[in-house]
Amino acid sequence: MNSQPLLSLNDLFFIVPKLLENLPVTLGITLASLLLGLALGLVATALQFSHSSLLRLLAKVYTDVLRGAPLALLILLFFFGGKLILSALELPALLISDTTFAILSISVGISPYFAEMMRSAWNAVDVGQKEAIRSLNIPWHIGIARIIFPQGLIIAIPNFGNLLINLVKMTSLVNIIGIVDIFGRAQKISQNSYGAKQVAAFISVILIYWLLNMIIFYLTSRIEKKYQYLLE
């Protein structure tokens, strides 16, 4: 009879430091995807408020289609599609790294949610604020930058925190194209131990994600409380 326990503290103390070695991969993909996803979301939001009905339609199609696309499918599409494009252009397959394909796919996948967050925040700002900008003849770009944007930013912080937490968890899917993040490292530990440390490895991953999520929640809550006066 196998007396090996499914989980022990010794296993956790051994595995967690190993997983933390790959934490920079998870954090790097998260940060890069966050910046690019926000940029794409901002463009989509701007198009939704465009005077052109065609641009508004394109923005709606973009957000609707991507919100319905599974992220794992997007990662595979960007990875294999990108390789095919490089091959068709007779460019080296390693010209674009696997990590870059992962970042591009996650950024595109999260961008419609950022766009909806920004649109909702914009609409939540008191209409009187926008009318005051016009009535006082304040240049529109100054009014947006100094009045509308700060208020919309505070309104959006709770949703932003939730999206950032989801983004961190999304990075776990990059292992399907061979990128070894903390989840991928846990899988390797499980495989190398012939599954003996499988439960401990995956619980260790959950603990690390939980800690990251608590940090994000704490920071966003602090920022929201600190600047709440802007909405008063």
Side-chain angles (χ1 to χ4, degrees), residues 122-164:
W122 171 276
N123 290 332
V125 175
D126 189 356
V127 176
Q129 302 279 355
K130 302 168 187 176
E131 294 176 349
I133 292 174
R134 297 188 182 92
S135 62
L136 296 174
N137 292 323
I138 298 175
W140 188 242
H141 65 282
I142 294 178
I144 293 294
R146 297 187 179 182
I147 300 174
I148 304 299
F149 180 76
Q151 295 183 48
L153 186 62
I154 302 304
I155 293 171
I157 283 178
N159 287 334
F160 175 77
N162 290 331
L163 285 175
L164 186 52

Coordinates of all heavy atoms in Angstrom, one line a residue, residues 122-164:
W122 N -17.1 56.5 -18.6 CA -17.4 57.7 -19.2 C -18.8 58.1 -19.1 O -19.2 59.2 -18.7 CB -17.0 57.6 -20.7 CG -17.5 58.8 -21.6 CD1 -18.7 58.9 -22.1 CD2 -16.7 59.9 -21.9 NE1 -18.8 60.1 -22.8 CE2 -17.5 60.7 -22.7 CE3 -15.4 60.3 -21.7 CZ2 -17.1 61.9 -23.2 CZ3 -15.0 61.5 -22.2 CH2 -15.8 62.3 -23.0
N123 N -19.7 57.1 -19.3 CA -21.1 57.3 -19.2 C -21.6 57.6 -17.8 O -22.6 58.2 -17.5 CB -21.9 56.2 -19.8 CG -21.8 56.1 -21.3 OD1 -21.6 57.0 -22.0 ND2 -21.9 54.8 -21.8
A124 N -20.8 57.1 -16.8 CA -21.2 57.3 -15.4 C -20.8 58.7 -14.8 O -21.4 59.1 -13.8 CB -20.5 56.2 -14.5
V125 N -20.0 59.4 -15.5 CA -19.7 60.8 -15.1 C -20.9 61.6 -15.3 O -21.6 61.5 -16.3 CB -18.5 61.3 -15.9 CG1 -18.2 62.8 -15.6 CG2 -17.2 60.5 -15.6
D126 N -21.2 62.4 -14.3 CA -22.4 63.3 -14.4 C -22.4 64.1 -15.6 O -21.4 64.8 -16.0 CB -22.3 64.2 -13.1 CG -23.6 65.0 -13.0 OD1 -24.5 64.9 -13.9 OD2 -23.8 65.7 -12.0
V127 N -23.6 64.0 -16.3 CA -23.7 64.8 -17.6 C -23.5 66.3 -17.3 O -23.0 67.0 -18.2 CB -25.1 64.5 -18.1 CG1 -25.4 65.4 -19.4 CG2 -25.3 63.1 -18.4
G128 N -23.9 66.8 -16.1 CA -23.7 68.2 -15.8 C -22.2 68.6 -16.0 O -22.0 69.8 -16.3
Q129 N -21.3 67.7 -15.7 CA -19.9 68.0 -15.8 C -19.5 68.3 -17.3 O -18.8 69.3 -17.6 CB -19.0 66.9 -15.3 CG -19.3 66.5 -13.8 CD -18.6 67.4 -12.9 OE1 -17.8 68.3 -13.2 NE2 -18.8 67.2 -11.6
K130 N -20.1 67.5 -18.1 CA -19.8 67.7 -19.6 C -20.4 69.0 -20.1 O -19.9 69.7 -20.9 CB -20.3 66.5 -20.3 CG -19.6 65.2 -19.9 CD -20.3 63.9 -20.4 CE -19.8 62.6 -19.8 NZ -20.5 61.4 -20.3
E131 N -21.7 69.2 -19.6 CA -22.3 70.5 -20.0 C -21.6 71.7 -19.5 O -21.6 72.7 -20.2 CB -23.8 70.4 -19.6 CG -24.6 69.3 -20.2 CD -26.0 69.3 -19.6 OE1 -26.3 69.9 -18.6 OE2 -26.9 68.6 -20.2
A132 N -21.1 71.6 -18.3 CA -20.3 72.7 -17.7 C -19.1 73.1 -18.6 O -18.7 74.2 -18.7 CB -19.9 72.4 -16.3
I133 N -18.5 72.0 -19.1 CA -17.3 72.3 -19.9 C -17.7 73.1 -21.1 O -16.9 74.0 -21.5 CB -16.7 70.9 -20.3 CG1 -16.1 70.2 -19.1 CG2 -15.6 71.1 -21.4 CD1 -15.6 68.8 -19.4
R134 N -18.8 72.8 -21.7 CA -19.2 73.5 -22.9 C -19.7 74.9 -22.6 O -19.3 75.9 -23.2 CB -20.4 72.7 -23.6 CG -20.0 71.4 -24.1 CD -21.1 70.8 -25.0 NE -20.8 69.4 -25.5 CZ -21.1 68.3 -24.8 NH1 -21.8 68.4 -23.7 NH2 -20.8 67.1 -25.3
S135 N -20.5 75.0 -21.5 CA -21.0 76.3 -21.1 C -19.9 77.3 -20.7 O -20.1 78.5 -20.9 CB -22.1 76.2 -20.0 OG -21.5 75.7 -18.8
L136 N -18.9 76.8 -20.1 CA -17.8 77.7 -19.7 C -16.7 77.9 -20.7 O -15.7 78.5 -20.5 CB -17.1 77.1 -18.4 CG -18.0 77.0 -17.2 CD1 -17.3 76.3 -16.0 CD2 -18.4 78.4 -16.7
N137 N -17.0 77.3 -21.9 CA -16.0 77.5 -23.1 C -14.6 76.9 -22.7 O -13.6 77.4 -23.2 CB -15.9 78.9 -23.5 CG -17.2 79.4 -24.1 OD1 -17.9 78.7 -24.8 ND2 -17.6 80.7 -23.9
I138 N -14.6 75.9 -21.9 CA -13.3 75.2 -21.6 C -13.0 74.4 -22.8 O -13.8 73.6 -23.3 CB -13.4 74.3 -20.4 CG1 -13.8 75.2 -19.1 CG2 -12.1 73.6 -20.1 CD1 -14.0 74.4 -17.9
P139 N -11.8 74.5 -23.3 CA -11.4 73.6 -24.5 C -11.7 72.2 -24.1 O -11.4 71.7 -23.0 CB -9.9 73.9 -24.6 CG -9.7 75.3 -24.1 CD -10.7 75.4 -23.0
W140 N -12.3 71.4 -25.1 CA -12.8 70.1 -24.8 C -11.6 69.2 -24.4 O -11.8 68.4 -23.4 CB -13.4 69.5 -26.1 CG -14.1 68.2 -25.9 CD1 -13.8 67.0 -26.5 CD2 -15.2 68.0 -25.0 NE1 -14.7 66.1 -26.0 CE2 -15.5 66.6 -25.1 CE3 -16.0 68.8 -24.1 CZ2 -16.6 66.0 -24.4 CZ3 -17.0 68.2 -23.4 CH2 -17.3 66.8 -23.5
H141 N -10.4 69.3 -25.0 CA -9.4 68.4 -24.6 C -8.9 68.6 -23.2 O -8.5 67.7 -22.4 CB -8.2 68.4 -25.6 CG -7.5 69.8 -25.6 ND1 -8.0 70.9 -26.2 CD2 -6.3 70.2 -25.0 CE1 -7.2 71.9 -26.1 NE2 -6.2 71.5 -25.3
I142 N -9.0 69.9 -22.7 CA -8.6 70.2 -21.4 C -9.6 69.7 -20.4 O -9.3 69.2 -19.3 CB -8.4 71.8 -21.2 CG1 -7.2 72.2 -22.0 CG2 -8.2 72.1 -19.7 CD1 -6.9 73.7 -22.0
G143 N -10.9 69.9 -20.8 CA -12.0 69.4 -19.9 C -11.9 67.9 -19.7 O -12.2 67.4 -18.6
I144 N -11.6 67.2 -20.8 CA -11.5 65.8 -20.8 C -10.4 65.4 -19.8 O -10.5 64.5 -19.0 CB -11.3 65.2 -22.2 CG1 -12.5 65.4 -23.0 CG2 -10.9 63.7 -22.1 CD1 -13.7 64.6 -22.6
A145 N -9.2 66.0 -20.0 CA -8.0 65.6 -19.3 C -8.1 66.0 -17.8 O -7.6 65.2 -16.9 CB -6.8 66.3 -19.9
R146 N -8.7 67.1 -17.5 CA -8.7 67.6 -16.1 C -10.0 67.4 -15.3 O -9.9 67.4 -14.1 CB -8.3 69.1 -16.1 CG -6.9 69.4 -16.6 CD -6.6 70.8 -16.4 NE -5.3 71.1 -16.9 CZ -4.7 72.4 -16.9 NH1 -5.3 73.4 -16.3 NH2 -3.5 72.5 -17.3
I147 N -11.1 67.1 -16.0 CA -12.3 67.0 -15.3 C -12.9 65.6 -15.5 O -13.2 64.9 -14.5 CB -13.3 68.1 -15.8 CG1 -12.8 69.5 -15.5 CG2 -14.7 67.9 -15.1 CD1 -13.6 70.6 -16.0
I148 N -13.2 65.2 -16.8 CA -13.9 64.0 -17.1 C -13.0 62.8 -16.8 O -13.4 61.8 -16.1 CB -14.4 63.9 -18.5 CG1 -15.3 65.2 -18.8 CG2 -15.1 62.6 -18.8 CD1 -16.5 65.2 -18.0
F149 N -11.8 62.8 -17.3 CA -10.9 61.6 -17.1 C -10.6 61.3 -15.7 O -10.7 60.1 -15.3 CB -9.6 61.9 -17.9 CG -8.6 60.7 -17.8 CD1 -8.8 59.5 -18.6 CD2 -7.5 60.8 -17.0 CE1 -8.0 58.5 -18.5 CE2 -6.7 59.7 -16.9 CZ -6.9 58.6 -17.6
P150 N -10.2 62.2 -14.8 CA -10.0 61.8 -13.4 C -11.2 61.2 -12.7 O -11.1 60.2 -12.0 CB -9.6 63.2 -12.8 CG -9.1 64.0 -13.9 CD -9.9 63.6 -15.1
Q151 N -12.4 61.7 -13.0 CA -13.6 61.2 -12.4 C -13.9 59.8 -12.9 O -14.2 58.9 -12.2 CB -14.8 62.1 -12.6 CG -14.6 63.5 -11.9 CD -15.9 64.3 -12.1 OE1 -17.0 63.9 -11.9 NE2 -15.7 65.6 -12.5
G152 N -13.8 59.7 -14.3 CA -14.0 58.4 -14.9 C -13.0 57.3 -14.4 O -13.4 56.1 -14.2
L153 N -11.8 57.7 -14.2 CA -10.8 56.8 -13.7 C -11.1 56.3 -12.3 O -11.0 55.1 -12.1 CB -9.4 57.5 -13.6 CG -8.2 56.7 -13.3 CD1 -8.0 55.6 -14.3 CD2 -6.9 57.6 -13.2
I154 N -11.6 57.1 -11.4 CA -11.9 56.7 -10.1 C -13.1 55.7 -10.1 O -13.2 54.7 -9.4 CB -12.2 57.9 -9.2 CG1 -11.0 58.8 -9.1 CG2 -12.6 57.4 -7.8 CD1 -9.8 58.1 -8.6
I155 N -14.1 56.1 -11.0 CA -15.3 55.2 -11.1 C -14.9 53.8 -11.7 O -15.5 52.8 -11.3 CB -16.3 55.9 -12.1 CG1 -16.9 57.1 -11.5 CG2 -17.4 54.9 -12.5 CD1 -17.7 58.0 -12.4
A156 N -13.9 53.8 -12.5 CA -13.5 52.5 -13.2 C -12.6 51.7 -12.3 O -12.4 50.5 -12.7 CB -12.8 52.9 -14.5
I157 N -12.0 52.2 -11.2 CA -11.0 51.4 -10.4 C -11.5 50.1 -10.0 O -10.8 49.1 -10.1 CB -10.5 52.3 -9.3 CG1 -9.5 53.3 -9.8 CG2 -9.8 51.4 -8.2 CD1 -9.0 54.3 -8.7
P158 N -12.7 49.9 -9.4 CA -13.2 48.6 -9.0 C -13.2 47.6 -10.1 O -12.8 46.5 -10.0 CB -14.6 48.8 -8.4 CG -14.5 50.3 -8.0 CD -13.7 51.0 -9.0
N159 N -13.8 48.0 -11.3 CA -13.8 47.1 -12.4 C -12.4 46.9 -13.0 O -12.1 45.7 -13.4 CB -14.6 47.8 -13.6 CG -16.1 47.7 -13.3 OD1 -16.6 46.8 -12.5 ND2 -16.9 48.6 -13.8
F160 N -11.5 47.9 -12.9 CA -10.2 47.7 -13.3 C -9.5 46.6 -12.5 O -8.7 45.8 -13.0 CB -9.4 49.0 -13.3 CG -7.9 48.9 -13.6 CD1 -7.5 48.7 -14.9 CD2 -7.0 48.9 -12.6 CE1 -6.1 48.6 -15.2 CE2 -5.6 48.8 -12.9 CZ -5.2 48.6 -14.2
G161 N -9.7 46.7 -11.2 CA -9.1 45.7 -10.3 C -9.5 44.3 -10.6 O -8.7 43.4 -10.6
N162 N -10.8 44.1 -10.9 CA -11.4 42.8 -11.2 C -10.8 42.3 -12.5 O -10.4 41.1 -12.7 CB -12.9 42.9 -11.3 CG -13.5 43.1 -10.0 OD1 -13.0 42.7 -8.9 ND2 -14.7 43.7 -10.0
L163 N -10.6 43.2 -13.5 CA -10.1 42.8 -14.8 C -8.6 42.4 -14.7 O -8.1 41.5 -15.3 CB -10.2 44.0 -15.8 CG -11.6 44.1 -16.4 CD1 -11.7 45.4 -17.3 CD2 -12.1 42.9 -17.2
L164 N -7.9 43.2 -13.8 CA -6.5 42.9 -13.6 C -6.3 41.5 -12.9 O -5.4 40.8 -13.3 CB -5.8 44.0 -12.8 CG -4.3 43.9 -12.6 CD1 -3.6 43.7 -13.9 CD2 -3.8 45.1 -11.8

